[in-house]
Amino acid sequence: TPVESAKKAAACLAVDDYVKDNKIIGIGSGSTIVYAVERLSERVQQENLKLVCIPTSFQARQLILQHNLTLGDLETNPSIDLAIDGADEVDNDLTLIKGGGGCLTQEKIVASCAKEFIVICDQGKDSMILGEKYKKGIPIEVIPMAYVPIRNKIFSRYGGELILRMGKAKAGPVVTDNGNFILDWQFPQVSLDWDHINKELKMIPGVVETGLFVGMATKVFIGRSDGTVKEKL
Ligand code: DER
C-alpha cells in the first residue's frame, strides 16, 4: 500500500545513511521500525557488519532475535551511537508524539542514551502543530493504582479528555511492558508549550513517562508513497 511504501522508504534511507560498522543501535517499536530491522539485517549479511541492537519493547526484542541480530542491553551498553524509532506525529519543532504502540517509556529511555536519535515515519505523521493529524491523544504511562487521581489532576489543570487505554485482544486495560496503564490525553487543539507541559506532567506523582519527546529527535525522515523521502530537521 502507499503508506507501507512510504514507511519502507524512510526506514531504508535512515538505515543506509546512518548505520555504520561497530555501532550500538537502539531499535524502536511499532510497524515502521520493522522495515528498518529488515534493511539492517540485509546490510549485516551483505557487509558483515558488527552491530549490537538494544530493544525498546518485547516487540523490538523479538524483531532483533528473529532477524539474528546481536541483542544487547543498557546494562552492558549504556551509551548508544544511534537510536532509530517511529512516531505518531512530528511537528515543525521536531517535537514528537510517541506511544501509539504503548512502548513510549523504554523508547524514551533508549533515545535519551543515544548520541543520535533518528525518527522514521510516513507523511501521515507530518504536522505543523501537534494534534493536527494524530487524534488519539498524548499517551501517558501511569502507575495503575493512581490512574484516577492523575486523570483528575490533568483534567482540572489543562482540560481535554483522558482515556484509559483498553485492550483489544485482552480484557481490561492495556498493561505496558513495564506493568503500567496508559492514559491517552486528548488535549484542546492549541499550540501549547510542550516542553513546559511535559515537565509538569512528569512531576505528577504516579506518572511514569509521557509520549511527548521534546528536543530529542536529531532528524526525521518523512517517507512519501512515491518512494521519495523528505528530511525534517
Ligand atoms: O508506540 C510508538 O512510539 C511507536 O514508535 C509509534 O509511535 C510508531 O508506530 P508506527 O511506526 O507503527 O506508526
Side-chain angles (χ1 to χ4, degrees):
T1 69
V3 169
E4 293 309 306
S5 49
K7 290 179 177 181
K8 185 169 183 175
C12 290
L13 189 62
V15 169
D16 291 349
D17 276 10
Y18 277 84
V19 173
K20 313 241 180 322
D21 204 0
N22 297 307
K23 294 292 180 190
I24 315 282
I25 317 267
I27 302 296
S29 306
S31 60
T32 309
I33 196 67
V34 175
Y35 295 112
V37 171
E38 288 170 351
R39 180 65 188 138
L40 208 53
S41 175
E42 248 172 58
R43 288 196 55 197
V44 166
Q45 305 295 327
Q46 286 162 6
E47 303 164 48
N48 191 26
L49 298 180
K50 297 284 175 290
L51 303 177
V52 175
C53 294
I54 315 288
T56 55
S57 61
F58 292 132
Q59 180 222 358
R61 184 184 165 91
Q62 288 182 316
L63 274 179
I64 291 163
L65 293 172
Q66 283 157 4
H67 287 82
N68 304 308
L69 296 167
T70 304
L71 180 68
D73 55 45
L74 292 179
E75 210 168 350
T76 45
N77 298 288
S79 172
I80 298 175
D81 296 298
L82 168 71
I84 302 179
D85 202 347
D88 297 299
E89 191 167 38
V90 185
D91 76 6
N92 284 353
D93 300 324
L94 297 197
T95 298
L96 314 176
I97 293 180
K98 282 179 60 53
C103 306
L104 60 143
T105 295
Q106 292 183 37
E107 288 174 337
K108 195 182 277 189
I109 293 167
V110 168
S112 73
C113 297
K115 296 186 187 83
E116 295 186 295
F117 175 38
I118 304 300
V119 175
I120 54 178
C121 60
D122 62 272
Q123 61 196 23
K125 318 298 189 58
D126 184 15
S127 295
M128 301 280 282
I129 57 170
L130 291 187
E132 211 176 280
K133 297 196 178 138
Y134 187 71
K135 301 294 183 190
K136 294 179 188 163
I138 297 168
I140 301 171
E141 183 160 340
V142 301
I143 299 294
M145 56 86 88
Y147 84 90
V148 173
I150 290 170
R151 181 170 62 189
N152 295 344
K153 280 179 189 163
I154 296 174
F155 178 73
S156 59
R157 205 180 294 175
Y158 303 108
E161 191 178 355
L162 288 114
I163 300 154
L164 180 64
R165 191 181 296 184
M166 302 305 282
K168 291 193 176 59
K170 173 196 170 292
V174 163
V175 176
T176 69
D177 293 358
N178 315 302
N180 297 315
F181 287 174
I182 290 181
L183 290 173
D184 287 301
W185 176 38
Q186 296 179 345
F187 55 92
Q189 160 96 59
V190 282
S191 54
L192 300 164
D193 177 351
W194 295 116
D195 187 42
H196 176 68
I197 288 185
N198 179 49
K199 286 173 175 138
E200 285 205 335
L201 290 173
K202 286 292 293 272
M203 289 301 289
I204 301 172
V207 170
V208 175
E209 194 50 84
T210 79
L212 283 168
F213 285 47
V214 184
M216 296 185 75
T218 308
K219 184 183 285 189
V220 178
F221 285 104
I222 311 266
R224 295 180 287 209
S225 46
D226 62 1
T228 59
V229 180
K230 176 179 95 172
E231 291 185 13
K232 204 170 181 178
L233 73 166

